[in-house]
Amino acid sequence: MDAVRTLLETQPLLTLFLTVALGYVFGEINIKGVSLGSGAVLFVGLAIGGFAPKSAPPAILGTLGLLLFLYGIGIQYGEQFFKGLTSPDGIKANAAAVLGVVGSGLLAVALVPLVGVKLDESLGMFAGAGTSTASLQAAMAAMKSDGAAVGYSVAYPVGVAGPILFLYALTALLKPNIVRPPPKLIETAEIALTNPAFIGARLSEVVARLPDGVAIAAVRRAHHNHPSADDLVLQANDVLLATATDPAVLREATSLCGELQPGRMTSHREDLDYMRVFASSRLVVGHTLRDIRFPEGMVCSIAHVRRGDADLMPRDDLTLEFGDRVGLLVNRAHMKPIRALFGDSIKGTAELSFISIGIGAALGLLVGLIPVPIPGVGTLALGLAALLLVALMLGRVRRLGPFVWTMPLSANLVLRNFGLTIFLAQVGIASGPKFFATIGVTGVSFLIYGVVILLALLLITAIFCLWVFRLPFDLAVGVICGATGNPAILAFANRVAPTDRPDLGYSMIFPSMTIVKILFVQVAATLAGG
């Protein structure tokens, strides 16, 4: 065993990737339909760190992994974050998380008179239970002692492992019926126009009266197919090629316009034919569909955009990203120049602008260093929470001048999952010695206090999310993840709730709750000092 310990301690990179491999082996173990997934990497890391105390890789590796994860989350969900933040569900989610964080903080402070824990240690346990390194730094600076680090070292592993077990128990108790939503696929209908109310009207006026989510890709008239044009005046018996991702609204549009006549357009391809191209050229990537300029004389219409596993309707404000597959109706003679315009390279599915990533991440790190003055409290720095905020804003902007901030979904998933795995392995190995050493000195008392603080955070947030505000379960678990803070919990939540909502809930909550935790620590330290 000594030889194994020596090997692990002298080869930290070997230890890191061994932890990753063993973590995923244990993570695949399925118990009643639930497995830990990448979250098991942390548990393996704690065990290896306890066995070989000097085996931890440099902390910068874990920070880099967390940076990649947070940046990828922000870039992907920037637009949804800002929309959801002002939505009724977003307001409820933030309210539930604030109540959970403040409630657990008050309980941590109450331990001082109740059981005689020092204030700096209790604030450290609060920071550890909420897995907030920024809060730990704030506590140590405010209290001018390292007692917070002792409480943090015990509560941090509890703060990561506890919510995973809590979500496991909550899922087993409630048995939510969550099914991954089927990918949106484009549906088409060929509709002969017979409604007198639409005859003689411009196409743009007719589209405005159709159900939301319906587009007209082409019009057939006098035995010829024509691309849609807003100023086209419709005539009786024109055939409209309608598209939608919801069959119900397509049926409603058909009943409004006239009657189905399948084959009238698709069987005639001499004027317009269908082609699909990859968006890989900077002439189109980062631009909205309305801003794409086709070569003069080109007869072309965008029918849909496929991103990941879903078809997106061709809205004028839809911004193309690297790797999008664009379905077009185009004259065969123009297919070659259209391919050149879009690039049509499969490499676009993995295209990354490292210039944009470098500038975006550097900007986020710089913002995280800026001290923000809080009257009566002092100053605080947001750290990596600021990086997430910057990434969310860049994800919303999507493109700024020559910089394309977005990345293909496939590349984003690989980048952030790799970063998350490296972070979990490094943090687990590094925390293992402190965890077992502190338990050996304080016994189980600090461990129990950390569990109590964590349970207050989890229970208050869950109760308000699920039973007071009645948020959907998959969104609620994302909010719980954001309130507790650690991305390992989010990785597990994505397994028990396989939709986009856990990521969205996490993104809505994590930056604001990091600020709330820092503020609480500084206010508590200031009031106690006064």
Side-chain angles (χ1 to χ4, degrees):
M1 297 300 289
D2 289 339
V4 175
R5 183 181 293 108
T6 301
L7 176 64
L8 295 176
E9 292 184 340
T10 55
Q11 300 295 328
L13 283 181
L14 182 151
T15 305
L16 179 75
F17 284 100
L18 179 64
T19 302
V20 170
L22 292 177
Y24 272 93
V25 169
F26 285 106
E28 291 300 317
I29 297 175
N30 191 299
I31 301 175
K32 295 184 178 180
V34 179
S35 56
L36 293 177
S38 60
V41 174
L42 177 77
F43 296 95
V44 172
L46 285 172
I48 290 179
F51 172 72
K54 298 179 181 179
S55 62
I60 190 67
L61 281 178
T63 303
L64 175 62
L66 182 57
L67 182 151
L68 294 175
F69 174 80
L70 293 178
Y71 189 81
I73 285 284
I75 289 296
Q76 181 175 347
Y77 293 102
E79 185 175 359
Q80 298 95 317
F81 166 75
F82 286 102
K83 288 180 180 178
L85 199 58
T86 55
S87 68
D89 282 352
I91 295 172
K92 293 175 183 177
N94 276 276
V98 168
L99 290 170
V101 169
V102 173
S104 65
L106 291 174
L107 179 59
V109 174
L111 292 176
V112 176
L114 290 176
V115 297
V117 176
K118 296 179 181 179
L119 180 62
D120 54 357
E121 293 174 340
S122 69
L123 292 178
M125 286 188 282
F126 167 72
T131 64
S132 175
T133 305
S135 301
L136 171 63
Q137 294 167 340
M140 294 176 67
M143 301 299 297
K144 296 180 173 60
S145 71
D146 59 358
V150 176
Y152 183 86
S153 65
V154 177
Y156 184 88
V158 172
V160 178
I164 293 175
L165 299 176
F166 178 83
L167 290 179
Y168 178 89
L170 190 65
T171 304
L173 177 66
L174 299 181
K175 295 181 174 59
N177 184 22
I178 298 177
V179 180
R180 183 186 296 273
K184 293 183 178 181
L185 303 177
I186 199 75
E187 302 278 350
T188 62
E190 298 170 61
I191 310 170
L193 185 65
T194 59
N195 186 346
F198 291 164
I199 295 172
R202 288 186 174 86
L203 181 60
S204 59
E205 298 171 348
V206 171
V207 172
R209 297 168 64 179
L210 295 178
D212 289 338
V214 175
I216 303 299
V219 177
R220 182 170 181 80
R221 176 183 297 171
H223 307 295
H224 291 282
N225 295 335
H226 306 274
S228 60
D230 289 343
D231 59 353
L232 179 66
V233 178
L234 296 180
Q235 300 177 5
N237 294 318
D238 281 350
V239 180
L240 311 179
L241 181 61
T243 61
T245 56
D246 186 347
V249 299
L250 201 58
R251 289 191 295 269
E252 185 179 350
T254 301
S255 63
L256 283 173
C257 293
E259 60 183 19
L260 284 175
Q261 291 192 357
R264 285 281 303 277
M265 299 185 71
T266 54
S267 60
H268 299 280
R269 303 197 174 194
E270 60 275 6
D271 298 306
L272 294 177
D273 203 351
Y274 178 81
M275 67 179 297
R276 179 181 285 183
V277 295
F278 283 101
S280 60
S281 167
R282 292 186 179 274
L283 295 174
V284 297
V285 171
H287 293 282
T288 60
L289 297 189
R290 73 163 66 91
D291 293 332
I292 295 176
R293 296 290 178 261
F294 294 103
E296 187 175 353
M298 293 290 175
V299 179
C300 183
S301 175
I302 297 177
H304 69 103
V305 175
R306 187 164 181 81
R307 180 172 298 162
D309 296 328
D311 284 323
L312 307 178
M313 294 302 295
R315 306 186 318 271
D316 285 345
D317 61 347
L318 178 64
T319 302
L320 288 183
E321 299 180 1
F322 279 115
D324 284 348
R325 289 158 288 174
V326 185
L328 304 117
L329 298 176
V330 58
N331 189 284
R332 291 176 183 174
H334 300 152
M335 285 185 173
K336 187 173 181 179
I338 291 297
R339 289 187 189 279
L341 173 66
F342 281 87
D344 196 27
S345 172
I346 196 171
K347 293 180 180 179
T349 59
E351 184 72 24
L352 291 174
S353 171
F354 288 101
I355 297 176
S356 297
I357 292 176
I359 293 175
L363 181 61
L365 292 172
L366 283 174
V367 173
L369 296 175
I370 298 174
V372 181
I374 305 296
V377 176
T379 60
L380 63 89
L382 299 182
L384 287 181
L387 175 104
L388 177 57
L389 283 172
V390 170
L392 287 166
M393 288 187 283
L394 296 179
R396 184 186 188 189
V397 173
R398 310 186 83 76
R399 179 171 183 154
L400 189 62
F403 301 111
V404 179
W405 305 111
T406 58
M407 60 185 82
L409 180 59
S410 56
N412 188 310
L413 288 171
V414 170
L415 190 70
R416 74 179 197 236
N417 287 338
F418 176 74
L420 173 63
T421 301
I422 295 300
F423 168 73
L424 294 177
Q426 193 281 327
V427 167
I429 299 169
S431 300
K434 294 179 182 178
F435 176 74
F436 291 108
T438 306
I439 293 298
V441 173
T442 64
V444 297
S445 59
F446 270 32
L447 185 62
I448 294 174
Y449 300 151
V451 170
V452 170
I453 294 170
L454 176 64
L455 280 177
L457 172 59
L458 295 172
L459 288 173
I460 293 172
T461 305
I463 288 171
F464 275 91
C465 281
L466 294 171
W467 289 283
V468 177
F469 297 135
R470 298 187 178 278
L471 296 177
F473 183 85
D474 49 354
L475 179 61
V477 297
V479 174
I480 293 171
C481 293
T484 52
N486 197 285
I489 309 158
L490 178 61
F492 179 75
N494 281 319
R495 298 179 71 88
V496 300
T499 70
D500 288 338
R501 281 179 166 174
D503 286 336
L504 180 58
Y506 181 88
S507 298
M508 285 194 299
I509 298 303
F510 178 74
S512 53
M513 288 311 103
T514 299
I515 297 171
V516 171
K517 291 172 187 175
I518 295 172
L519 282 173
F520 182 89
V521 165
Q522 294 192 333
V523 169
T526 301
L527 293 178

PDB file of all heavy atoms in Angstrom, residues 14-26 38 40-41 44-45 48 418 421-426 429:
ATOM      1  N   LEU A  14      -1.424  11.530 -12.981  1.00  0.00           N
ATOM      2  CA  LEU A  14      -1.906  10.150 -13.009  1.00  0.00           C
ATOM      3  C   LEU A  14      -3.039   9.974 -12.011  1.00  0.00           C
ATOM      4  O   LEU A  14      -4.069   9.358 -12.316  1.00  0.00           O
ATOM      5  CB  LEU A  14      -0.752   9.197 -12.699  1.00  0.00           C
ATOM      6  CG  LEU A  14      -1.037   7.682 -12.734  1.00  0.00           C
ATOM      7  CD1 LEU A  14       0.218   6.926 -13.111  1.00  0.00           C
ATOM      8  CD2 LEU A  14      -1.571   7.154 -11.411  1.00  0.00           C
ATOM      9  N   THR A  15      -2.866  10.552 -10.805  1.00  0.00           N
ATOM     10  CA  THR A  15      -3.894  10.465  -9.770  1.00  0.00           C
ATOM     11  C   THR A  15      -5.181  11.135 -10.224  1.00  0.00           C
ATOM     12  O   THR A  15      -6.279  10.624 -10.001  1.00  0.00           O
ATOM     13  CB  THR A  15      -3.395  11.131  -8.473  1.00  0.00           C
ATOM     14  OG1 THR A  15      -2.153  10.538  -8.099  1.00  0.00           O
ATOM     15  CG2 THR A  15      -4.397  10.953  -7.355  1.00  0.00           C
ATOM     16  N   LEU A  16      -5.041  12.286 -10.884  1.00  0.00           N
ATOM     17  CA  LEU A  16      -6.209  13.030 -11.353  1.00  0.00           C
ATOM     18  C   LEU A  16      -7.041  12.196 -12.316  1.00  0.00           C
ATOM     19  O   LEU A  16      -8.260  12.043 -12.147  1.00  0.00           O
ATOM     20  CB  LEU A  16      -5.750  14.325 -12.026  1.00  0.00           C
ATOM     21  CG  LEU A  16      -6.859  15.208 -12.602  1.00  0.00           C
ATOM     22  CD1 LEU A  16      -7.594  15.937 -11.483  1.00  0.00           C
ATOM     23  CD2 LEU A  16      -6.281  16.238 -13.582  1.00  0.00           C
ATOM     24  N   PHE A  17      -6.390  11.614 -13.330  1.00  0.00           N
ATOM     25  CA  PHE A  17      -7.151  10.883 -14.339  1.00  0.00           C
ATOM     26  C   PHE A  17      -7.581   9.504 -13.839  1.00  0.00           C
ATOM     27  O   PHE A  17      -8.614   8.981 -14.305  1.00  0.00           O
ATOM     28  CB  PHE A  17      -6.343  10.789 -15.633  1.00  0.00           C
ATOM     29  CG  PHE A  17      -6.330  12.084 -16.396  1.00  0.00           C
ATOM     30  CD1 PHE A  17      -5.251  12.941 -16.321  1.00  0.00           C
ATOM     31  CD2 PHE A  17      -7.421  12.461 -17.163  1.00  0.00           C
ATOM     32  CE1 PHE A  17      -5.246  14.152 -16.999  1.00  0.00           C
ATOM     33  CE2 PHE A  17      -7.422  13.661 -17.854  1.00  0.00           C
ATOM     34  CZ  PHE A  17      -6.344  14.519 -17.770  1.00  0.00           C
ATOM     35  N   LEU A  18      -6.863   8.939 -12.904  1.00  0.00           N
ATOM     36  CA  LEU A  18      -7.331   7.713 -12.268  1.00  0.00           C
ATOM     37  C   LEU A  18      -8.607   7.997 -11.487  1.00  0.00           C
ATOM     38  O   LEU A  18      -9.556   7.195 -11.513  1.00  0.00           O
ATOM     39  CB  LEU A  18      -6.253   7.153 -11.340  1.00  0.00           C
ATOM     40  CG  LEU A  18      -6.621   5.875 -10.578  1.00  0.00           C
ATOM     41  CD1 LEU A  18      -6.860   4.717 -11.553  1.00  0.00           C
ATOM     42  CD2 LEU A  18      -5.532   5.505  -9.577  1.00  0.00           C
ATOM     43  N   THR A  19      -8.657   9.139 -10.816  1.00  0.00           N
ATOM     44  CA  THR A  19      -9.866   9.545 -10.090  1.00  0.00           C
ATOM     45  C   THR A  19     -11.038   9.718 -11.045  1.00  0.00           C
ATOM     46  O   THR A  19     -12.161   9.296 -10.760  1.00  0.00           O
ATOM     47  CB  THR A  19      -9.607  10.857  -9.326  1.00  0.00           C
ATOM     48  OG1 THR A  19      -8.522  10.672  -8.422  1.00  0.00           O
ATOM     49  CG2 THR A  19     -10.837  11.284  -8.559  1.00  0.00           C
ATOM     50  N   VAL A  20     -10.779  10.338 -12.181  1.00  0.00           N
ATOM     51  CA  VAL A  20     -11.827  10.525 -13.187  1.00  0.00           C
ATOM     52  C   VAL A  20     -12.366   9.175 -13.658  1.00  0.00           C
ATOM     53  O   VAL A  20     -13.589   8.948 -13.711  1.00  0.00           O
ATOM     54  CB  VAL A  20     -11.282  11.338 -14.381  1.00  0.00           C
ATOM     55  CG1 VAL A  20     -12.288  11.323 -15.541  1.00  0.00           C
ATOM     56  CG2 VAL A  20     -10.980  12.765 -13.959  1.00  0.00           C
ATOM     57  N   ALA A  21     -11.448   8.259 -13.988  1.00  0.00           N
ATOM     58  CA  ALA A  21     -11.872   6.953 -14.506  1.00  0.00           C
ATOM     59  C   ALA A  21     -12.670   6.174 -13.464  1.00  0.00           C
ATOM     60  O   ALA A  21     -13.763   5.663 -13.747  1.00  0.00           O
ATOM     61  CB  ALA A  21     -10.649   6.155 -14.949  1.00  0.00           C
ATOM     62  N   LEU A  22     -12.126   6.074 -12.233  1.00  0.00           N
ATOM     63  CA  LEU A  22     -12.836   5.330 -11.187  1.00  0.00           C
ATOM     64  C   LEU A  22     -14.152   6.002 -10.833  1.00  0.00           C
ATOM     65  O   LEU A  22     -15.147   5.336 -10.542  1.00  0.00           O
ATOM     66  CB  LEU A  22     -11.947   5.212  -9.945  1.00  0.00           C
ATOM     67  CG  LEU A  22     -10.705   4.330 -10.073  1.00  0.00           C
ATOM     68  CD1 LEU A  22      -9.877   4.378  -8.791  1.00  0.00           C
ATOM     69  CD2 LEU A  22     -11.111   2.891 -10.393  1.00  0.00           C
ATOM     70  N   GLY A  23     -14.159   7.344 -10.856  1.00  0.00           N
ATOM     71  CA  GLY A  23     -15.395   8.064 -10.552  1.00  0.00           C
ATOM     72  C   GLY A  23     -16.512   7.722 -11.510  1.00  0.00           C
ATOM     73  O   GLY A  23     -17.651   7.484 -11.108  1.00  0.00           O
ATOM     74  N   TYR A  24     -16.195   7.659 -12.790  1.00  0.00           N
ATOM     75  CA  TYR A  24     -17.233   7.338 -13.771  1.00  0.00           C
ATOM     76  C   TYR A  24     -17.628   5.861 -13.713  1.00  0.00           C
ATOM     77  O   TYR A  24     -18.776   5.516 -14.031  1.00  0.00           O
ATOM     78  CB  TYR A  24     -16.772   7.725 -15.177  1.00  0.00           C
ATOM     79  CG  TYR A  24     -17.108   9.164 -15.502  1.00  0.00           C
ATOM     80  CD1 TYR A  24     -16.194  10.184 -15.278  1.00  0.00           C
ATOM     81  CD2 TYR A  24     -18.354   9.505 -16.004  1.00  0.00           C
ATOM     82  CE1 TYR A  24     -16.504  11.504 -15.554  1.00  0.00           C
ATOM     83  CE2 TYR A  24     -18.677  10.811 -16.293  1.00  0.00           C
ATOM     84  CZ  TYR A  24     -17.748  11.812 -16.065  1.00  0.00           C
ATOM     85  OH  TYR A  24     -18.072  13.117 -16.327  1.00  0.00           O
ATOM     86  N   VAL A  25     -16.684   4.996 -13.305  1.00  0.00           N
ATOM     87  CA  VAL A  25     -17.049   3.584 -13.118  1.00  0.00           C
ATOM     88  C   VAL A  25     -18.107   3.466 -12.026  1.00  0.00           C
ATOM     89  O   VAL A  25     -19.155   2.826 -12.197  1.00  0.00           O
ATOM     90  CB  VAL A  25     -15.810   2.748 -12.776  1.00  0.00           C
ATOM     91  CG1 VAL A  25     -16.237   1.346 -12.308  1.00  0.00           C
ATOM     92  CG2 VAL A  25     -14.890   2.627 -13.985  1.00  0.00           C
ATOM     93  N   PHE A  26     -17.848   4.098 -10.873  1.00  0.00           N
ATOM     94  CA  PHE A  26     -18.816   4.063  -9.778  1.00  0.00           C
ATOM     95  C   PHE A  26     -20.068   4.871 -10.124  1.00  0.00           C
ATOM     96  O   PHE A  26     -21.165   4.549  -9.669  1.00  0.00           O
ATOM     97  CB  PHE A  26     -18.182   4.601  -8.490  1.00  0.00           C
ATOM     98  CG  PHE A  26     -17.221   3.640  -7.848  1.00  0.00           C
ATOM     99  CD1 PHE A  26     -15.851   3.856  -7.914  1.00  0.00           C
ATOM    100  CD2 PHE A  26     -17.679   2.515  -7.181  1.00  0.00           C
ATOM    101  CE1 PHE A  26     -14.953   2.977  -7.330  1.00  0.00           C
ATOM    102  CE2 PHE A  26     -16.798   1.619  -6.600  1.00  0.00           C
ATOM    103  CZ  PHE A  26     -15.431   1.848  -6.676  1.00  0.00           C
ATOM    104  N   SER A  38     -21.257  11.830 -13.001  1.00  0.00           N
ATOM    105  CA  SER A  38     -19.982  12.492 -12.735  1.00  0.00           C
ATOM    106  C   SER A  38     -19.845  12.919 -11.283  1.00  0.00           C
ATOM    107  O   SER A  38     -18.730  13.176 -10.813  1.00  0.00           O
ATOM    108  CB  SER A  38     -19.828  13.707 -13.652  1.00  0.00           C
ATOM    109  OG  SER A  38     -20.880  14.636 -13.435  1.00  0.00           O
ATOM    110  N   ALA A  40     -19.965  11.112  -8.789  1.00  0.00           N
ATOM    111  CA  ALA A  40     -19.177  10.101  -8.076  1.00  0.00           C
ATOM    112  C   ALA A  40     -17.689  10.406  -8.128  1.00  0.00           C
ATOM    113  O   ALA A  40     -16.927   9.905  -7.291  1.00  0.00           O
ATOM    114  CB  ALA A  40     -19.444   8.716  -8.684  1.00  0.00           C
ATOM    115  N   VAL A  41     -17.260  11.233  -9.084  1.00  0.00           N
ATOM    116  CA  VAL A  41     -15.849  11.601  -9.160  1.00  0.00           C
ATOM    117  C   VAL A  41     -15.407  12.285  -7.867  1.00  0.00           C
ATOM    118  O   VAL A  41     -14.297  12.075  -7.376  1.00  0.00           O
ATOM    119  CB  VAL A  41     -15.596  12.519 -10.375  1.00  0.00           C
ATOM    120  CG1 VAL A  41     -14.155  13.026 -10.397  1.00  0.00           C
ATOM    121  CG2 VAL A  41     -15.908  11.777 -11.672  1.00  0.00           C
ATOM    122  N   VAL A  44     -14.892   9.638  -5.031  1.00  0.00           N
ATOM    123  CA  VAL A  44     -13.648   8.901  -5.255  1.00  0.00           C
ATOM    124  C   VAL A  44     -12.454   9.792  -4.930  1.00  0.00           C
ATOM    125  O   VAL A  44     -11.467   9.352  -4.314  1.00  0.00           O
ATOM    126  CB  VAL A  44     -13.569   8.392  -6.704  1.00  0.00           C
ATOM    127  CG1 VAL A  44     -12.192   7.791  -6.994  1.00  0.00           C
ATOM    128  CG2 VAL A  44     -14.656   7.351  -6.953  1.00  0.00           C
ATOM    129  N   GLY A  45     -12.537  11.068  -5.318  1.00  0.00           N
ATOM    130  CA  GLY A  45     -11.470  12.004  -5.015  1.00  0.00           C
ATOM    131  C   GLY A  45     -11.244  12.167  -3.520  1.00  0.00           C
ATOM    132  O   GLY A  45     -10.099  12.224  -3.051  1.00  0.00           O
ATOM    133  N   ILE A  48      -9.428   9.014  -2.303  1.00  0.00           N
ATOM    134  CA  ILE A  48      -8.025   8.979  -2.721  1.00  0.00           C
ATOM    135  C   ILE A  48      -7.226  10.050  -1.987  1.00  0.00           C
ATOM    136  O   ILE A  48      -6.078   9.823  -1.566  1.00  0.00           O
ATOM    137  CB  ILE A  48      -7.920   9.154  -4.250  1.00  0.00           C
ATOM    138  CG1 ILE A  48      -8.454   7.895  -4.942  1.00  0.00           C
ATOM    139  CG2 ILE A  48      -6.489   9.429  -4.680  1.00  0.00           C
ATOM    140  CD1 ILE A  48      -8.422   7.959  -6.454  1.00  0.00           C
ATOM    141  N   PHE A 418     -15.982  18.260 -19.649  1.00  0.00           N
ATOM    142  CA  PHE A 418     -14.580  17.981 -19.329  1.00  0.00           C
ATOM    143  C   PHE A 418     -14.114  18.873 -18.179  1.00  0.00           C
ATOM    144  O   PHE A 418     -13.457  18.413 -17.234  1.00  0.00           O
ATOM    145  CB  PHE A 418     -13.706  18.199 -20.559  1.00  0.00           C
ATOM    146  CG  PHE A 418     -12.230  18.028 -20.297  1.00  0.00           C
ATOM    147  CD1 PHE A 418     -11.685  16.769 -20.121  1.00  0.00           C
ATOM    148  CD2 PHE A 418     -11.395  19.129 -20.221  1.00  0.00           C
ATOM    149  CE1 PHE A 418     -10.330  16.606 -19.872  1.00  0.00           C
ATOM    150  CE2 PHE A 418     -10.045  18.984 -19.969  1.00  0.00           C
ATOM    151  CZ  PHE A 418      -9.506  17.714 -19.792  1.00  0.00           C
ATOM    152  N   THR A 421     -15.559  17.679 -14.837  1.00  0.00           N
ATOM    153  CA  THR A 421     -14.925  16.457 -14.346  1.00  0.00           C
ATOM    154  C   THR A 421     -13.563  16.745 -13.719  1.00  0.00           C
ATOM    155  O   THR A 421     -13.238  16.235 -12.635  1.00  0.00           O
ATOM    156  CB  THR A 421     -14.772  15.448 -15.496  1.00  0.00           C
ATOM    157  OG1 THR A 421     -16.061  15.152 -16.046  1.00  0.00           O
ATOM    158  CG2 THR A 421     -14.134  14.169 -15.011  1.00  0.00           C
ATOM    159  N   ILE A 422     -12.761  17.583 -14.382  1.00  0.00           N
ATOM    160  CA  ILE A 422     -11.449  17.939 -13.835  1.00  0.00           C
ATOM    161  C   ILE A 422     -11.611  18.680 -12.509  1.00  0.00           C
ATOM    162  O   ILE A 422     -10.875  18.447 -11.540  1.00  0.00           O
ATOM    163  CB  ILE A 422     -10.666  18.796 -14.845  1.00  0.00           C
ATOM    164  CG1 ILE A 422     -10.363  17.979 -16.107  1.00  0.00           C
ATOM    165  CG2 ILE A 422      -9.380  19.325 -14.228  1.00  0.00           C
ATOM    166  CD1 ILE A 422      -9.534  16.746 -15.875  1.00  0.00           C
ATOM    167  N   PHE A 423     -12.588  19.574 -12.443  1.00  0.00           N
ATOM    168  CA  PHE A 423     -12.832  20.324 -11.207  1.00  0.00           C
ATOM    169  C   PHE A 423     -13.201  19.385 -10.056  1.00  0.00           C
ATOM    170  O   PHE A 423     -12.662  19.490  -8.948  1.00  0.00           O
ATOM    171  CB  PHE A 423     -13.953  21.334 -11.446  1.00  0.00           C
ATOM    172  CG  PHE A 423     -14.481  21.966 -10.190  1.00  0.00           C
ATOM    173  CD1 PHE A 423     -13.732  22.907  -9.500  1.00  0.00           C
ATOM    174  CD2 PHE A 423     -15.724  21.620  -9.694  1.00  0.00           C
ATOM    175  CE1 PHE A 423     -14.218  23.494  -8.336  1.00  0.00           C
ATOM    176  CE2 PHE A 423     -16.217  22.192  -8.537  1.00  0.00           C
ATOM    177  CZ  PHE A 423     -15.459  23.133  -7.854  1.00  0.00           C
ATOM    178  N   LEU A 424     -14.112  18.458 -10.301  1.00  0.00           N
ATOM    179  CA  LEU A 424     -14.548  17.549  -9.249  1.00  0.00           C
ATOM    180  C   LEU A 424     -13.401  16.675  -8.753  1.00  0.00           C
ATOM    181  O   LEU A 424     -13.236  16.452  -7.547  1.00  0.00           O
ATOM    182  CB  LEU A 424     -15.689  16.664  -9.760  1.00  0.00           C
ATOM    183  CG  LEU A 424     -17.005  17.357 -10.088  1.00  0.00           C
ATOM    184  CD1 LEU A 424     -17.992  16.363 -10.651  1.00  0.00           C
ATOM    185  CD2 LEU A 424     -17.574  18.032  -8.862  1.00  0.00           C
ATOM    186  N   ALA A 425     -12.583  16.186  -9.688  1.00  0.00           N
ATOM    187  CA  ALA A 425     -11.475  15.325  -9.298  1.00  0.00           C
ATOM    188  C   ALA A 425     -10.463  16.089  -8.451  1.00  0.00           C
ATOM    189  O   ALA A 425     -10.027  15.617  -7.394  1.00  0.00           O
ATOM    190  CB  ALA A 425     -10.804  14.745 -10.545  1.00  0.00           C
ATOM    191  N   GLN A 426     -10.086  17.281  -8.891  1.00  0.00           N
ATOM    192  CA  GLN A 426      -9.077  18.050  -8.164  1.00  0.00           C
ATOM    193  C   GLN A 426      -9.571  18.468  -6.780  1.00  0.00           C
ATOM    194  O   GLN A 426      -8.850  18.331  -5.783  1.00  0.00           O
ATOM    195  CB  GLN A 426      -8.683  19.284  -8.995  1.00  0.00           C
ATOM    196  CG  GLN A 426      -7.418  19.997  -8.512  1.00  0.00           C
ATOM    197  CD  GLN A 426      -7.656  20.892  -7.320  1.00  0.00           C
ATOM    198  OE1 GLN A 426      -8.722  21.491  -7.170  1.00  0.00           O
ATOM    199  NE2 GLN A 426      -6.637  21.008  -6.460  1.00  0.00           N
ATOM    200  N   ILE A 429      -9.751  15.364  -4.371  1.00  0.00           N
ATOM    201  CA  ILE A 429      -8.444  14.921  -3.883  1.00  0.00           C
ATOM    202  C   ILE A 429      -7.888  15.928  -2.873  1.00  0.00           C
ATOM    203  O   ILE A 429      -7.346  15.551  -1.830  1.00  0.00           O
ATOM    204  CB  ILE A 429      -7.472  14.737  -5.061  1.00  0.00           C
ATOM    205  CG1 ILE A 429      -7.991  13.665  -6.023  1.00  0.00           C
ATOM    206  CG2 ILE A 429      -6.086  14.353  -4.564  1.00  0.00           C
ATOM    207  CD1 ILE A 429      -7.239  13.594  -7.344  1.00  0.00           C
TER     208      ILE A 429
END
